[in-house]
Amino acid sequence: MDRDSPVRITVSSSGGLRNIALTSPMRRASISNSPLSGGENRRLSGGSRGGGRYGDEFVAYTVHIPPTPDHQFVSNSQDSPEYQKIHGNPNENRIKDTVFTGGFNSETRAHSRRMKSVEEIAVGKSKLLCQVDGCDEKLLDKSSKSQCECGFRICDDCYIDHCSNGAGVCPGCKEPFQESYEEDDDGVDMQPMMLEEKDTVNPLRRNRGGIRLENNFSLVRSFKAPNQDFDHTRWLFETNGTYGFGNAVWPREGCHRGGGGDKYEYENPPVFNDRRNRPLTRKVGISPAVLSPYRLLIVIRLAALGLFLTWRILHPNHDAVWLWLMSVICEVWFAFSWLLDQLPKLCPVTRSTDLTVLKERFEPTQNNPKGLSDLPGIDIFVSTADAEKEPPLVTANTILSILAVNYPVDKIACYLSDDGGSLVTFEALAEAASFASTWVPFCRKHEIEPRNPEAYFSQKGDPLKNKRRVDFVRERRKVKREYDEFKVRINALPETIRRRSDACNAREELLAKKKQLELGGKPSEPIKVPKATWMSDGNTWHGTWFSGEEDHSRGNHAGIIQLMLAPPGPECAYKTEEDPEDLIDTRNVDTRLPMLVYVSREKRLGFDHNKKAGAMNALVRASAIMSNGSFILNLDCDHYVYNSLALREGMCFMLDRGGDKICYVQFPQRFEGIDPSDRYANHNTVFFDVSMRALDGLQGPMYVGTGCIFRRIALYGFSPPRATEHHGWFGGRKIKFSLKRMKKQKTEDDTEMILPIVDDQDNNEDRDELKQALIPERFGDSTYLIDSIAVAEFGGRLIHELRGKNSHGRPSGSLAVQREPIDRAAIEEAIKVVTCFYEDKTEWGKRVGWIYGSITEDVVTGYRMHNRGWRSVYCVTKRDAFRGTAPINLTDRLIQVLRWATGSVEIFFSRNNALFASPRMKFLQRIAYFNVGMYPFTSIFLLAYCVLPALSLFSGKFIVQSLNITFLILLLAITVTLSMLALLEIRWSKITLHDWWRNEQFWLIGGTSAHPVAVIQGLLKVIAGIDISFTLTSKPAAADDGEDEFAELYEFRFTMLMIPPVTIILMNVAAIAVGVLRTVYSPFPEWSKLLGGVFFSFWVLSHLYPFAKGLMGRRGKISTIVYLWSMLICIVVSLIFLYAHPPDGSRRQSFMMRFQFP
């Protein structure tokens, strides 16, 4: 055995022995295995049983490769980390510097700025000549092994030169030569040699007829190399061998390191299953001292409501039957609405996580010098659609906070979906990727929180708090200066691109004019040159142009994918010496950056692109091919990572015992930039801290559109491994079963999708079931995408020690492997799956991915998962996980609420109504979802009830005949129980009384403005088929120094939604005045009716006070148009009321006799 090689690997196969150098899991020197790198690297070894003498930094291990049909061993010295560190990864650089486009009626193209394509190099060359520039040698043998798989023709001499001097890279495709070794024909039958008996791996399980690899789907073959007949990584797993890293098998007792003579020191592999019995999460119930009285009060109030409504129905007001009837109908509906809202709050819970156990179990420090992680991969989606309403600086800060998150760098992939195809967003992302090389190491070195540069440099307080490094102040000052320059560049991008485009278009016009003159044209003839938008490299932008030309408008452009940051390696990259060009000292700091991809899906006229849901589904497909993380986190462009440990806390729930039944982990939404008084309840704390916590005690919280970690296979529409059906009254009878063991009845309307994990037995039924689950009619015709599904399912499994009954697990340490590199074929396939026609005749948007058909696609998507039996979890962290922005302007807030309410009406009139839920959904969970579709209809009764006090004061009547003592007692009981319930909710949810009151106020504001319009829009869509326009909420940019942070709060922009609440305010104010004057000057004053009417009018006005304050703006002035519309409506309502209920005859006659026209 060769003693000069630091790593000698013995490979056994049926045809003989061959020594090759593979990537070692420990740091080592690069070993070339090129056929031209020397004979000593290719000669056979015999008789040696040890690993040789090596230095302390080298590791010897054994790789066992079983017999394969072709016996081909592919050279991979180009893949070694040391080689890539010195020479770079040629394939990676080529992909990174290339923009891939494609779409409808157009082929997929790679637009490279650095390298020529194979076709360009081959121009003018004969097929019988070498295609290398400057070489005209003839090709003697076209089938020679010196020819690359890409088809680039190269002679033997040039092939030898490129292997020896060009690092074995093909000059055509810029990728390493793919060569197959030929079997030695010396006729020597070498027997496999083992280091020791304990290093052997278990053989493949045999069935009748031998080994059946195609029946083992525990880990599918590499889906990026579908033509490869043998997958070594898959074979290692299915042989139950000791699992290792990459292609290496660790010895069971440890791996031996170099020592003197024949003595070896043993080093154990990382222990990934430590602390397996300690839970990652804990469920903490609410204190019985608070929860028991809370439930008791619900029962008491329900009884009081029943008695109150019974008394009201049995005691009508005969003097004003119409007033009594309206009030009773509204009160019955309000009681029903309150019950729907209150029942799901019976079982609130609180959860906590233990990040220490997570680190010890999946990232052990024992025998793990390289910090390898067994955590699964996470793909992070960021969506944006309009560079004007969603400022690029906000999006760039969100991306930077994601790149700096505290999670294994090689397990993170960030995708930005630019649904507008804007060059401004593209170049802003490129600027963010460049600035990340400084910002991310700075955050890791000094443990910066939050890791959004705008939020970090804008926060008040001492920046030196908890900072121990002496160079922190100096480096912070440098990074702050660099970020200020970064902001200037980002904010100047729109103007910079316009000026660049104008200059390039003027040049094109001159060239076109010159060409016209050369062809004999007249100078006076007009020339039509498209007004293109130009990139910085001198090429036209493939997406949307400012001029909106054909094939380059917002709804009509090609699909674009650009790899901004290539996938990092699995090992930490530390600098040993200080680089003077770096802003900060990055020694002993990991400088790797996560993978970053720009995606703009194709849009064409005549296709329904399904808004945000369609963009998310395009990202799901593209990410499955490029990174295929087992979990997906989606964020809006204005929601950044505020807690760098948020992803780890979310994964605690997914990886803990029972986590394989969790489809997503929802985080609460927290907002910045809200005015201190929270005038329009933008924080929405009652929903996020009361309702969502209560749902967490049932089947889980609803999905609210952002800040949510999904299990990828749950998004694919598959059912959970185990489920529970609820039968009987209120779901009291439970039936638990395992879906993976359930034999489905073959029916025509069977929509159950179960991902079968085939066992060792030759089960033809299971294989047919797998084919049925993965047919192209559901996922499309991309074999890459279909093959990636089982890989994603394996990565999301629990480890064997934590798996549930009848569930499949994975070995500890099985995910501590390097991610497959991205090649050109993968990105071309990703372009294919983001085209506008890919979803045709598939189940994307129907069952797979985000669900279409509603503006609130988030609620529908979560409902479908719960309806299949999945559970969800609500993760409330001590430090907010994510923070975003919310519209503080009254008009924007009302439009936002209108969109939510319209989506709820769509849900109510669709098959997503909870009335049609399956038995797998809990009864109280079904009530919660039913209330989501029902609450906008409360606005109809709320409008009538807010007008009732004014009508009562105008007419001098009241909703009851007289203020009976029974009526007052029941009314007091209802009010007191409601107040006590509110106090207890405040107690267990830890919100404030101010938050609760703001929520009550805006409930009435939204119920009298946006919700009625939403009901009308929903009915028009259902009855007349009129589509509902989608209005994108504007994202406020950060205020500059000296500007008012809340200036937007005082801006007034009129909308028709303001007319109903203004009318209610004016009517109640006028009614109070009329009622007081009538009572004071009446010979028989009825003070009880006046007090009742004035009390309810003040109740209405107190709830509408924030709305009235918003109308006045900063200067306290109301727009004239508001007065005109409101006065007109008040006059019309008053005339109608006088016509229906005129004064008594004598007064009317006297009035008519006295009145004369002038």
Side-chain angles (χ1 to χ4, degrees):
M1 188 173 185
D2 188 4
R3 301 289 182 175
D4 297 331
S5 176
V7 177
R8 176 60 55 192
I9 299 170
T10 305
V11 180
S12 62
S13 64
S14 62
L17 276 174
R18 186 180 307 278
N19 289 328
I20 59 174
L22 300 178
T23 303
S24 170
M26 303 296 290
R27 186 166 58 89
R28 61 176 179 83
S30 176
I31 303 297
S32 174
N33 62 337
S34 172
L36 302 175
S37 60
E40 66 275 11
N41 288 333
R42 302 188 61 191
R43 68 178 176 222
L44 301 174
S45 71
S48 176
R49 299 179 57 87
R53 296 179 57 186
Y54 311 120
D56 290 340
E57 63 177 351
F58 304 119
V59 172
Y61 51 77
T62 302
V63 174
H64 308 277
I65 299 182
T68 58
D70 49 7
H71 296 278
Q72 292 183 357
F73 295 87
V74 180
S75 170
N76 65 346
S77 62
Q78 307 291 343
D79 299 332
S80 63
E82 288 76 11
Y83 177 87
Q84 294 180 11
K85 184 177 180 180
I86 299 174
H87 302 280
N89 189 338
N91 178 38
E92 185 176 281
N93 293 333
R94 177 179 175 84
I95 297 300
K96 181 180 177 182
D97 297 326
T98 304
V99 179
F100 289 83
T101 62
F104 185 68
N105 290 334
S106 61
E107 61 178 347
T108 302
R109 297 180 179 178
H111 307 270
S112 178
R113 291 181 289 176
R114 289 188 178 184
M115 302 177 182
K116 299 180 180 179
S117 63
V118 176
E119 292 76 12
E120 293 173 340
I121 297 176
V123 172
K125 287 278 190 178
S126 172
K127 294 183 178 180
L128 300 178
L129 299 180
C130 178
Q131 290 183 316
V132 177
D133 293 338
C135 179
D136 294 328
E137 291 292 334
K138 292 184 179 181
L139 299 178
L140 300 179
D141 185 6
K142 295 182 181 180
S143 62
S144 174
K145 66 179 181 180
S146 62
Q147 202 170 16
C148 182
E149 291 182 355
C150 68
F152 185 84
R153 294 181 294 278
I154 183 173
C155 64
D156 290 342
D157 293 337
C158 292
Y159 173 74
I160 295 174
D161 292 340
H162 280 80
C163 286
S164 58
N165 301 327
V169 177
C170 173
C173 63
K174 308 301 180 183
E175 297 181 0
F177 284 109
Q178 299 294 329
E179 180 197 5
S180 299
Y181 290 100
E182 299 294 331
E183 289 292 333
D184 293 327
D185 52 1
D186 52 4
V188 180
D189 186 12
M190 303 295 294
Q191 296 295 328
M193 294 182 300
M194 299 294 181
L195 283 176
E196 291 188 35
E197 185 177 343
K198 63 183 179 182
D199 292 342
T200 61
V201 294
N202 298 329
L204 280 171
R205 298 171 183 170
R206 295 180 177 270
N207 300 319
R208 300 176 184 177
I211 300 174
R212 297 291 299 272
L213 290 178
E214 65 273 16
N215 290 339
N216 295 308
F217 285 88
S218 299
L219 187 61
V220 300
R221 66 184 62 187
S222 172
F223 63 90
K224 293 181 180 178
N227 296 325
Q228 185 177 352
D229 293 332
F230 179 77
D231 191 327
H232 186 210
T233 307
R234 168 186 166 190
W235 176 85
L236 286 177
F237 171 70
E238 298 192 302
T239 53
N240 288 340
T242 306
Y243 222 89
F245 314 107
N247 292 334
V249 180
W250 288 90
R252 282 192 170 86
E253 299 298 331
C255 55
H256 42 83
R257 301 176 55 185
D262 296 331
K263 296 180 180 179
Y264 298 97
E265 297 178 2
Y266 285 86
E267 180 179 294
N268 293 323
V271 181
F272 284 101
N273 57 356
D274 192 19
R275 305 293 181 91
R276 68 186 68 176
N277 294 325
R278 290 181 57 187
L280 293 171
T281 62
R282 296 183 184 276
K283 183 169 68 173
V284 182
I286 306 300
S287 173
V290 177
L291 192 57
S292 297
Y294 180 75
R295 293 171 176 171
L296 180 61
L297 279 174
I298 293 177
V299 176
I300 294 175
R301 190 169 196 270
L302 184 61
L305 280 173
L307 294 175
F308 176 79
L309 294 175
T310 302
W311 187 92
R312 292 279 286 115
I313 294 173
L314 296 178
H315 296 78
N317 185 359
H318 299 286
D319 295 337
V321 177
W322 60 273
L323 198 63
W324 166 80
L325 184 61
M326 287 179 59
S327 62
V328 169
I329 293 175
C330 293
E331 288 163 359
V332 170
W333 181 267
F334 292 152
F336 174 67
S337 177
W338 172 83
L339 188 62
L340 292 180
D341 180 70
Q342 199 67 46
L343 284 179
K345 299 179 182 178
L346 291 174
C347 306
V349 297
T350 303
R351 301 181 187 271
S352 61
T353 60
D354 194 336
L355 296 181
T356 305
V357 178
L358 180 75
K359 186 173 182 61
E360 293 174 350
R361 183 177 297 170
F362 295 97
E363 295 177 318
T365 57
Q366 181 182 0
N367 304 328
N368 191 16
K370 295 185 179 181
L372 298 174
S373 174
D374 194 31
L375 290 171
I378 301 179
D379 294 337
I380 304 178
F381 297 167
V382 180
S383 59
T384 181
D386 192 335
E388 296 180 358
K389 291 188 176 182
E390 298 170 331
L393 182 61
V394 175
T395 304
N397 276 278
T398 300
I399 296 297
L400 289 171
S401 70
I402 294 173
L403 297 180
V405 73
N406 190 344
Y407 199 81
V409 183
D410 58 314
K411 302 298 181 71
I412 290 291
C414 180
Y415 295 83
L416 174 66
S417 171
D418 180 15
D419 223 25
S422 172
L423 181 58
V424 176
T425 304
F426 179 86
E427 296 197 358
L429 187 64
E431 290 283 356
S434 176
F435 179 69
S437 60
T438 298
W439 173 251
V440 174
F442 173 71
C443 293
R444 292 173 182 164
K445 179 178 180 179
H446 298 289
E447 299 179 354
I448 299 299
E449 294 287 351
R451 299 191 175 183
N452 176 326
E454 181 67 32
Y456 171 71
F457 290 120
S458 301
Q459 64 183 354
K460 300 177 181 179
D462 185 11
L464 299 178
K465 186 177 180 180
N466 299 327
K467 303 302 177 188
R468 302 176 181 178
R469 292 181 177 267
V470 294
D471 55 353
F472 170 72
V473 175
R474 181 179 69 254
E475 292 184 349
R476 183 182 185 276
R477 188 181 300 114
K478 292 181 180 180
V479 175
K480 177 65 167 61
R481 188 183 304 114
E482 185 69 17
Y483 175 69
D484 291 339
E485 297 177 0
F486 168 78
K487 287 176 59 177
V488 172
R489 294 194 300 269
I490 293 292
N491 292 328
L493 275 178
E495 184 64 24
T496 301
I497 295 174
R498 287 185 181 275
R499 291 182 178 180
R500 180 204 307 154
S501 301
D502 292 342
C504 293
N505 290 328
R507 181 195 62 192
E508 292 297 316
E509 290 180 0
L510 292 177
L511 293 176
K513 192 72 173 179
K514 182 179 179 181
K515 186 176 182 180
Q516 181 185 19
L517 295 176
E518 291 176 353
L519 297 176
K522 297 181 180 180
S524 59
E525 294 182 0
I527 301 176
K528 185 178 180 180
V529 179
K531 300 293 183 180
T533 299
W534 293 78
M535 302 171 66
S536 58
D537 62 349
N539 296 321
T540 56
W541 173 236
H542 314 287
T544 302
W545 291 354
F546 291 125
S547 58
E549 300 284 344
E550 185 179 0
D551 294 334
H552 292 282
S553 60
R554 292 182 59 87
N556 185 15
H557 60 81
I560 307 170
I561 293 182
Q562 167 70 59
L563 186 65
M564 294 291 184
L565 294 175
E571 303 176 8
C572 298
Y574 299 108
K575 290 187 177 181
T576 57
E577 297 181 358
E578 184 177 2
D579 190 347
E581 297 182 358
D582 293 339
L583 288 178
I584 63 174
D585 183 8
T586 56
R587 288 177 295 181
N588 300 323
V589 178
D590 189 4
T591 58
R592 293 176 301 164
L593 297 177
M595 175 180 168
L596 179 61
V597 185
Y598 172 89
V599 179
S600 180
R601 59 173 174 153
E602 183 194 18
K603 286 189 173 182
R604 297 300 179 191
L605 300 178
F607 288 87
D608 186 3
H609 304 294
N610 298 296
K611 305 180 178 67
K612 180 182 177 181
M616 290 293 99
N617 285 340
L619 285 186
V620 171
R621 297 190 295 270
S623 64
I625 294 172
M626 299 182 67
S627 56
N628 198 29
S630 298
F631 298 93
I632 294 174
L633 166 66
N634 85 291
L635 295 172
D636 289 341
C637 65
D638 61 326
H639 273 72
Y640 68 91
V641 181
Y642 186 75
N643 182 359
S644 62
L645 297 173
L647 271 65
R648 293 179 177 270
E649 299 216 28
M651 294 310 297
C652 285
F653 295 100
M654 292 292 192
L655 302 178
D656 201 7
R657 192 180 303 275
D660 53 349
K661 293 177 57 179
I662 297 176
C663 56
Y664 61 82
V665 176
Q666 177 66 59
F667 294 86
Q669 293 186 20
R670 306 301 186 196
F671 302 100
E672 294 179 335
I674 307 299
D675 56 297
S677 63
D678 193 15
R679 180 184 294 178
Y680 305 124
N682 290 102
H683 286 299
N684 210 359
T685 52
V686 173
F687 174 75
F688 288 113
D689 290 333
V690 178
S691 300
M692 296 287 274
R693 283 178 185 264
L695 289 176
D696 196 19
L698 303 177
Q699 201 169 338
M702 291 178 284
Y703 168 46
V704 294
T706 183
C708 184
I709 299 179
F710 285 97
R711 186 179 300 273
R712 184 181 283 270
I713 62 167
L715 271 177
Y716 284 156
F718 291 102
S719 299
R722 302 176 305 281
T724 303
E725 289 190 353
H726 306 270
H727 299 275
W729 288 97
F730 309 113
R733 186 164 57 91
K734 300 179 181 180
I735 302 176
K736 298 182 179 181
F737 54 90
S738 173
L739 290 173
K740 289 187 177 181
R741 297 294 182 183
M742 184 181 65
K743 301 300 181 182
K744 300 191 301 177
Q745 297 179 356
K746 305 299 180 180
T747 58
E748 295 181 358
D749 57 345
D750 190 6
T751 59
E752 188 75 55
M753 289 176 61
I754 304 173
L755 184 63
I757 308 301
V758 183
D759 299 327
D760 332 334
Q761 292 80 14
D762 189 4
N763 195 329
N764 294 326
E765 182 179 354
D766 286 344
R767 282 187 291 169
D768 295 340
E769 193 175 339
L770 177 65
K771 294 177 181 178
Q772 181 184 2
L774 304 180
I775 53 179
E777 284 75 6
R778 285 181 171 169
F779 297 97
D781 58 355
S782 174
T783 56
Y784 279 53
L785 175 62
I786 295 177
D787 290 342
S788 70
I789 294 176
V791 179
E793 187 273 339
F794 176 81
R797 294 183 188 178
L798 304 180
I799 58 177
H800 283 308
E801 293 79 6
L802 300 177
R803 61 178 177 173
K805 185 179 181 181
N806 295 330
S807 298
H808 295 271
R810 64 175 178 87
S812 298
S814 57
L815 300 183
V817 295
Q818 184 175 3
R819 177 182 293 168
E820 265 191 278
I822 297 179
D823 53 11
R824 174 169 176 165
I827 300 187
E828 289 178 349
E829 187 71 12
I831 281 287
K832 172 186 173 182
V833 299
V834 300
T835 53
C836 56
F837 56 86
Y838 182 82
E839 295 182 353
D840 292 348
K841 299 180 180 179
T842 67
E843 293 194 2
W844 284 99
K846 302 174 184 177
R847 181 187 178 95
V848 180
W850 270 259
I851 306 301
Y852 302 154
S854 174
I855 294 178
T856 53
E857 74 287 334
D858 45 5
V859 178
V860 177
T861 303
Y863 166 79
R864 289 289 187 89
M865 295 182 185
H866 285 144
N867 201 35
R868 288 192 288 269
W870 289 98
R871 292 196 71 260
S872 61
V873 168
Y874 198 52
C875 181
V876 182
T877 57
K878 293 182 180 180
R879 179 183 176 87
D880 295 342
F882 309 100
R883 282 194 177 181
T885 58
I888 61 176
N889 180 266
L890 178 60
T891 304
D892 292 339
R893 177 69 166 141
L894 291 179
I895 293 175
Q896 183 187 55
V897 174
L898 172 63
R899 185 174 71 251
W900 294 344
T902 304
S904 296
V905 176
E906 291 176 336
I907 293 173
F908 182 81
F909 288 110
S910 68
R911 66 188 185 96
N912 296 313
N913 192 315
L915 291 176
F916 311 111
S918 70
R920 298 180 190 175
M921 184 176 292
K922 292 185 177 181
F923 175 74
L924 294 181
Q925 187 82 14
R926 188 179 304 188
I927 290 179
Y929 273 113
F930 179 74
N931 188 39
V932 169
M934 181 63 71
Y935 81 88
F937 296 95
T938 304
S939 61
I940 301 173
F941 305 93
L942 189 60
L943 276 173
Y945 209 70
C946 290
V947 175
L948 279 179
L951 299 180
S952 175
L953 291 173
F954 279 137
S955 62
K957 309 296 181 181
F958 196 52
I959 57 177
V960 294
Q961 189 80 29
S962 62
L963 294 180
N964 187 283
I965 187 64
T966 305
F967 171 78
L968 294 177
I969 291 176
L970 292 176
L971 183 63
L972 180 63
I974 293 173
T975 305
V976 171
T977 52
L978 178 64
S979 302
M980 296 180 67
L981 281 174
L983 293 176
L984 290 177
E985 283 185 359
I986 292 171
R987 178 73 180 275
W988 63 256
S989 64
K990 296 180 174 56
I991 63 174
T992 63
L993 183 61
H994 178 268
D995 294 331
W996 181 86
W997 173 237
R998 285 301 189 202
N999 180 79
E1000 292 294 311
Q1001 287 179 316
F1002 199 79
W1003 170 75
L1004 193 141
I1005 294 173
T1008 56
S1009 58
H1011 295 178
V1013 179
V1015 173
I1016 296 174
Q1017 287 185 349
L1019 292 175
L1020 289 176
K1021 182 177 181 180
V1022 173
I1023 298 174
I1026 300 176
D1027 196 11
I1028 303 171
S1029 60
F1030 176 77
T1031 304
L1032 184 66
T1033 305
S1034 299
K1035 306 298 189 299
D1040 296 333
D1041 296 338
E1043 295 184 359
D1044 187 0
E1045 183 180 0
F1046 309 114
E1048 187 182 357
L1049 178 67
Y1050 307 105
E1051 294 181 5
F1052 177 81
R1053 297 190 293 271
F1054 175 74
T1055 175
M1056 299 293 290
L1057 301 176
M1058 298 178 177
I1059 295 177
V1062 170
T1063 303
I1064 292 174
I1065 292 175
L1066 295 179
M1067 288 185 64
N1068 279 276
V1069 171
I1072 291 174
V1074 171
V1076 171
L1077 292 175
R1078 177 190 291 112
T1079 305
V1080 170
Y1081 292 102
S1082 174
F1084 304 102
E1086 297 179 298
W1087 293 100
S1088 61
K1089 295 183 179 180
L1090 174 66
L1091 291 176
V1094 170
F1095 171 79
F1096 282 110
S1097 291
F1098 271 113
W1099 177 85
V1100 173
L1101 293 176
S1102 63
H1103 280 75
L1104 291 175
Y1105 172 73
F1107 176 84
K1109 195 173 182 180
L1111 291 179
M1112 298 177 184
R1114 188 188 297 272
R1115 296 183 300 273
K1117 295 182 179 180
I1118 303 178
S1119 178
T1120 306
I1121 192 173
V1122 176
Y1123 280 118
L1124 294 178
W1125 276 98
S1126 303
M1127 292 178 63
L1128 177 62
I1129 294 176
C1130 287
I1131 293 173
V1132 172
V1133 172
S1134 301
L1135 291 176
I1136 294 175
F1137 178 78
L1138 290 175
Y1139 177 79
H1141 301 277
D1144 57 86
S1146 59
R1147 293 183 181 180
R1148 177 175 56 185
Q1149 184 178 3
S1150 175
F1151 172 79
M1152 296 298 296
M1153 292 177 61
R1154 291 197 305 266
F1155 179 77
Q1156 293 182 356
F1157 286 101

